[in-house]
Amino acid sequence: MNFRTPHPFPPVILDDVRGAQKMLSGVARMTAMEGSRHLSELVGAPVHFKCENLQRTGSFKLRGAYVRIVGLSPVERAAGVVAASAGNHAQGVALASALLGVRATVFMPVGAPLPKVAATREYGAEVRLHGQVVDETLAAAQEYAQETGAVFIHPFDHPDIIAGQGTVGLEILEQCPEVRTIVVGIGGGGLAAGIAVAVKAVRPDVRIIGVQAAGAACYPPSLAAGHPVVIDGLHTMADGIKVGRPGDVPFGLVQELVDEVRTVSEAELSSALLLCLERAKLVVEPAGASPVAALLSDPRSFRGPVVALLSGGNVDPLLMQRILTHGMASAGRYLSLRVRLTDRPGALAALLASLSVADANILDIGHVRTDPRLGLTEVEVELHLETKGPVHCEEVTVALRQAGYEVTA
């Protein structure tokens, strides 16, 4: 679907991005470009990862934050800066401010992951925990800016931010000059807009596809309406792209320059994160894995060579554990089932022997004897198994039923 409309006075142009690239020399790294053999086979063309998860602070956010702050006047720098973020933008602003000698205050939600809070403080920013959701945190930061005169550094809705993020696009063209499709996650739109500005000016033939989490997809209805609209009830593990309204500045650029915006499910996100870890040996946060999720969901719809942007790798270890479990379940690597047995000596041993023959590894096992649905001499065994994939799950279930067991999911 083509959402483009004329934009006679674009707020960001290629020269802005090239200027930002010069500013970032020696500050932001040119991150690696890694090939993915597994995804290349699925897509039927070369697929590469642009590894911004290996950028300083663990995401692309340093680029835009530094360009925005370095452009402040001496008076503005003296007043300090303030930002609101659940993690990546917070760390980008904190490090950029430290490098430029500017005082930074960062508001973060009360429930922000402790590693992200600690990292932001270690970069030198004053962290204030406020609100349960980012919208409340954002309001507190803007109020602080009005009261103190500190400059509010928006995470995506400013031309300097977009120009800084666009330097990723210039690097992609340099590292993979034959690229035909770039896939990038979209939250507020700053990254996608910046990449689109840089790439389309040099290579208008390159297709740019944005990806949103289905539970936090503000761009499809906004593009359909022709202007930014607010969506409520955001539900996604991908907090880096969990935004309820597109930014005014990036929206116009995305509308004009981005070819398509797709959505991915939570199951697809967790499967993508698992693939990055297992196949590419890369730690990627859910938002950063969204382009991979899109590739997995419909691999043959992408024209190659493809570059999938891994935008960040800042993920809380506890969340990572839950996501990996979810991803393995989505990939058919876990099987949970209940088996009814006669409550007699040796019955459990016989069941375990059947599972051994089926080559299923038992992760957890539990007995239920008090369910009123059970007969007087019956017991139900709840099993959590590690399997080799969906086909193996079916094989295990069939083997148990052929052995005479009553199996329920």
Side-chain angles (χ1 to χ4, degrees), residues 190-279:
L191 177 62
I195 289 175
V197 167
V199 172
K200 289 290 189 178
V202 181
R203 287 277 310 280
D205 60 301
V206 173
R207 186 169 175 81
I208 299 177
I209 298 177
V211 184
Q212 291 208 289
C218 61
Y219 263 89
S222 297
L223 291 168
H227 58 83
V229 299
V230 179
I231 61 170
D232 298 317
L234 307 182
H235 300 289
T236 179
M237 68 178 79
D239 58 352
I241 52 175
K242 189 177 179 180
V243 177
R245 182 188 185 278
D248 292 324
V249 179
F251 175 79
L253 295 168
V254 170
Q255 183 183 41
E256 179 184 355
L257 299 173
V258 171
D259 295 280
E260 183 183 356
V261 175
R262 301 186 183 188
T263 62
V264 292
S265 68
E266 296 300 284
E268 289 165 341
L269 284 169
S270 56
S271 295
L273 191 146
L274 182 63
L275 182 144
C276 290
L277 187 62
E278 284 194 323
R279 297 299 185 103

Side-chain angles (χ1 to χ4, degrees), residues 58-141:
S59 87
F60 69 95
K61 289 287 191 177
L62 171 65
R63 297 173 183 265
Y66 187 89
V67 173
R68 175 75 173 99
I69 297 171
V70 79
L72 297 179
S73 68
V75 172
E76 289 173 322
R77 289 196 191 191
V81 299
V82 60
S85 168
N88 289 347
H89 181 59
Q91 293 175 68
V93 169
L95 178 56
S97 299
L99 293 173
L100 293 167
V102 176
R103 185 178 70 258
T105 303
V106 177
F107 285 76
M108 303 181 75
V110 172
L114 292 179
K116 293 184 179 182
V117 174
T120 304
R121 284 181 171 140
E122 287 171 7
Y123 287 127
E126 177 188 350
V127 174
R128 299 191 180 191
L129 301 177
H130 183 92
Q132 298 299 320
V133 296
V134 174
D135 286 344
E136 296 174 357
T137 308
L138 183 63

Side-chain angles (χ1 to χ4, degrees), residues 55-390:
Q55 183 58 262
R56 296 178 71 178
T57 75
S59 87
F60 69 95
K61 289 287 191 177
L62 171 65
R63 297 173 183 265
Y66 187 89
V67 173
R68 175 75 173 99
I69 297 171
V70 79
L72 297 179
S73 68
V75 172
E76 289 173 322
R77 289 196 191 191
V81 299
V82 60
S85 168
N88 289 347
H89 181 59
Q91 293 175 68
V93 169
L95 178 56
S97 299
L99 293 173
L100 293 167
V102 176
R103 185 178 70 258
T105 303
V106 177
F107 285 76
M108 303 181 75
V110 172
L114 292 179
K116 293 184 179 182
V117 174
T120 304
R121 284 181 171 140
E122 287 171 7
Y123 287 127
E126 177 188 350
V127 174
R128 299 191 180 191
L129 301 177
H130 183 92
Q132 298 299 320
V133 296
V134 174
D135 286 344
E136 296 174 357
T137 308
L138 183 63
Q142 291 172 325
E143 182 179 350
Y144 176 88
Q146 293 174 354
E147 292 175 351
T148 65
V151 179
F152 178 67
I153 307 299
H154 199 284
F156 49 82
D157 203 10
H158 192 280
D160 290 347
I161 295 287
I162 293 170
Q165 320 305 30
T167 60
V168 178
L170 294 180
E171 290 182 12
I172 290 173
L173 292 179
E174 180 178 345
Q175 294 171 295
C176 185
E178 68 279 12
V179 63
R180 298 181 71 190
T181 304
I182 297 173
V183 191
V184 54
I186 296 185
L191 177 62
I195 289 175
V197 167
V199 172
K200 289 290 189 178
V202 181
R203 287 277 310 280
D205 60 301
V206 173
R207 186 169 175 81
I208 299 177
I209 298 177
V211 184
Q212 291 208 289
C218 61
Y219 263 89
S222 297
L223 291 168
H227 58 83
V229 299
V230 179
I231 61 170
D232 298 317
L234 307 182
H235 300 289
T236 179
M237 68 178 79
D239 58 352
I241 52 175
K242 189 177 179 180
V243 177
R245 182 188 185 278
D248 292 324
V249 179
F251 175 79
L253 295 168
V254 170
Q255 183 183 41
E256 179 184 355
L257 299 173
V258 171
D259 295 280
E260 183 183 356
V261 175
R262 301 186 183 188
T263 62
V264 292
S265 68
E266 296 300 284
E268 289 165 341
L269 284 169
S270 56
S271 295
L273 191 146
L274 182 63
L275 182 144
C276 290
L277 187 62
E278 284 194 323
R279 297 299 185 103
K281 308 302 182 282
L282 291 168
V283 175
V284 183
E285 62 189 89
S290 59
V292 179
L295 288 168
L296 289 174
S297 68
D298 191 7
R300 292 291 173 170
S301 67
F302 294 86
R303 183 181 63 183
V306 178
V307 172
L309 177 57
L310 308 182
S311 57
N314 293 317
V315 56
D316 180 71
L318 294 177
L319 176 61
M320 171 71 86
Q321 183 179 15
R322 294 197 298 271
I323 292 172
L324 291 179
T325 300
H326 187 266
M328 292 184 73
S330 299
R333 302 270 293 278
Y334 285 146
L335 175 62
S336 297
L337 46 80
R338 290 172 177 262
V339 179
R340 192 167 293 190
L341 304 176
T342 301
D343 193 8
R344 59 176 175 78
L348 179 59
L351 171 62
L352 299 184
S354 296
L355 290 170
S356 178
V357 171
D359 201 22
N361 183 39
I362 299 172
L363 298 174
D364 192 20
I365 186 169
H367 287 75
V368 178
R369 287 188 168 86
T370 57
D371 193 315
R373 295 172 297 175
L374 295 173
L376 185 63
T377 62
E378 289 183 321
V379 61
E380 193 169 61
V381 178
E382 183 176 5
L383 297 161
H384 298 279
L385 309 173
E386 182 182 10
T387 57
K388 301 173 184 177

